[in-house]
Amino acid sequence: MPSKKIRKTAFSEITPRTTVRGVSFADGRLAPFVDRTIRTGGIDERAPGYRWGDSVATTTLVFLCVRGSITFVSPRTPVRLGAGDWLALPAGPAGRYFMAEKHGAVLLWFHFEPGTEWDTACLTGRAAVRGGRIEFLHACMEALLSEYVTPGPAAREACGRLGGMILHYLRRELIPEDSPAQRSARERLAALWTRLHGELARPWTVRQMAELVHMSESHFARTVQGLYGMQPMRMLAGLRMEHAAALLRSTGSALETVAESCGYASAYAFSAAFLRHFGVRPGRYRRGGTAGKQA
């Protein structure tokens, strides 16, 4: 796809070892393609052994593996994605990268704005999930990229329809289908996480959180574990760490100030918690953000 044919917010990068094609999901000309919670999405084709990443991610990132396989490497245990798997990763520090395995890989990718509905699916992250609609998404994305560089009102209408289909399949893939009781619990918990996100400096307890959603402590803990795969205090710690990471990326605030705003009694306690969560100290995280590296 020659770059001179790419219109405005569509883009293409082609090198001897990789092809990346993408499009913005915030293009107001293409309603109902508009979704301002999704920055960009596209298709990667990576050669065997190709390595990319190693930068501070400021968005929630989802990779869906269409063909081949890749390995995600971080200070935690490496995660392998085969064809039909997807991986959701919250915004995070430098020192994380991806490596295409011996047969290369074809991947779909989407960058989501932090603090949106998609984060619910990505908070637990760091584990591959078996998908069921990746081939549908791939077909829709190929068609979208083709129509996007085609002039005329018919192509724009097709982009809107295809964009809507992509959003539909993404929601079906990434956000679990709940029973009525689960939907009610998820809605109450979503409101709770929003409340907590605005008051992370408070020394929250499980009892206080449970009272806000009108549950007993034991029922609250079971519900959070069932819906998010973790206990309430770990969920709260994740919210604090994501907020801390955002502050470190976007402000020059002292570590003591960041620690206090996230509910930690000292910069030392905060630094230790940040290291456990991200595998890197806050100061090093703040200095991160180098350009991606190739193998």
Side-chain angles (χ1 to χ4, degrees), residues 60-62 86-90 112 116-127 129 170-171 173-176 186 227-228 230 235:
T60 295
L61 173 64
V62 175
W86 60 267
L87 179 68
L89 297 168
F112 298 92
T116 67
E117 62 173 324
W118 303 100
D119 278 355
T120 299
C122 302
L123 278 170
T124 55
R126 306 181 183 91
V129 178
L170 276 174
R171 287 192 172 94
E173 190 69 81
L174 304 184
I175 300 176
R186 196 181 291 276
L227 291 177
Y228 301 103
M230 63 181 73
M235 191 78 173

Side-chain angles (χ1 to χ4, degrees), residues 149-213:
V149 296
T150 302
R156 292 194 177 200
E157 181 181 356
C159 284
R161 294 180 182 276
L162 289 164
M165 291 176 66
I166 289 169
L167 297 177
H168 167 76
Y169 285 127
L170 276 174
R171 287 192 172 94
R172 293 285 299 276
E173 190 69 81
L174 304 184
I175 300 176
E177 296 180 12
D178 296 329
S179 67
Q182 287 174 318
R183 279 197 298 274
S184 175
R186 196 181 291 276
E187 288 170 1
R188 282 189 283 170
L189 290 173
L192 173 64
W193 308 140
T194 300
R195 166 84 180 267
L196 265 56
H197 195 273
E199 302 179 45
L200 290 174
R202 287 185 57 178
W204 291 100
T205 65
V206 173
R207 172 175 291 184
Q208 290 171 329
M209 289 187 281
E211 287 175 349
L212 288 174
V213 292

Side-chain angles (χ1 to χ4, degrees), residues 1-292:
M1 187 182 297
S3 59
K4 66 181 180 181
K5 295 177 65 178
I6 305 300
R7 286 211 323 259
K8 197 171 182 180
T9 54
F11 56 88
S12 180
E13 299 173 8
I14 301 174
T15 72
R17 303 198 68 210
T18 184
T19 298
V20 181
R21 295 173 291 146
V23 66
S24 167
F25 274 75
D27 187 341
R29 300 171 302 158
L30 299 179
F33 185 48
V34 172
D35 188 321
R36 297 193 181 279
T37 65
I38 304 180
R39 287 191 186 178
T40 53
I43 302 173
D44 278 7
E45 298 176 30
R46 304 289 188 176
Y50 188 89
R51 170 176 165 171
W52 72 104
D54 289 339
S55 61
V56 174
T58 60
T59 60
T60 295
L61 173 64
V62 175
F63 270 119
L64 303 98
C65 189
V66 179
R67 290 192 295 276
S69 56
I70 65 170
T71 297
F72 169 65
V73 180
S74 73
R76 297 167 179 261
T77 304
V79 179
R80 181 181 183 275
L81 276 73
D85 294 337
W86 60 267
L87 179 68
L89 297 168
R96 311 185 304 174
Y97 64 89
F98 304 88
M99 179 78 75
E101 297 189 355
K102 63 180 181 179
H103 298 298
V106 175
L107 309 159
L108 303 180
W109 50 268
F110 297 91
H111 284 281
F112 298 92
E113 294 285 356
T116 67
E117 62 173 324
W118 303 100
D119 278 355
T120 299
C122 302
L123 278 170
T124 55
R126 306 181 183 91
V129 178
R130 191 65 181 172
R133 301 172 179 85
I134 294 177
E135 286 295 338
F136 299 148
L137 280 163
H138 182 219
C140 289
M141 183 60 77
E142 287 283 7
L144 173 65
L145 291 171
S146 176
E147 292 289 348
Y148 202 91
V149 296
T150 302
R156 292 194 177 200
E157 181 181 356
C159 284
R161 294 180 182 276
L162 289 164
M165 291 176 66
I166 289 169
L167 297 177
H168 167 76
Y169 285 127
L170 276 174
R171 287 192 172 94
R172 293 285 299 276
E173 190 69 81
L174 304 184
I175 300 176
E177 296 180 12
D178 296 329
S179 67
Q182 287 174 318
R183 279 197 298 274
S184 175
R186 196 181 291 276
E187 288 170 1
R188 282 189 283 170
L189 290 173
L192 173 64
W193 308 140
T194 300
R195 166 84 180 267
L196 265 56
H197 195 273
E199 302 179 45
L200 290 174
R202 287 185 57 178
W204 291 100
T205 65
V206 173
R207 172 175 291 184
Q208 290 171 329
M209 289 187 281
E211 287 175 349
L212 288 174
V213 292
H214 308 292
M215 296 180 185
S216 68
E217 288 185 61
S218 58
H219 180 53
F220 174 63
R222 287 195 302 271
T223 302
V224 174
Q225 180 69 45
L227 291 177
Y228 301 103
M230 63 181 73
Q231 288 296 305
M233 294 308 292
R234 185 180 166 200
M235 191 78 173
L236 175 61
L239 293 173
R240 283 174 165 152
M241 290 297 101
E242 298 303 330
H243 181 59
L247 291 176
L248 291 170
R249 290 193 303 268
S250 61
T251 75
S253 299
L255 290 187
E256 291 80 3
T257 303
V258 176
E260 183 179 354
S261 69
C262 294
Y264 290 91
S266 68
Y268 177 82
F270 164 67
S271 180
F274 196 92
L275 177 62
R276 287 194 300 271
H277 187 83
F278 284 120
V280 63
R281 294 283 184 186
R284 183 178 174 189
Y285 176 92
R286 172 173 270 165
R287 294 190 297 272
T290 58

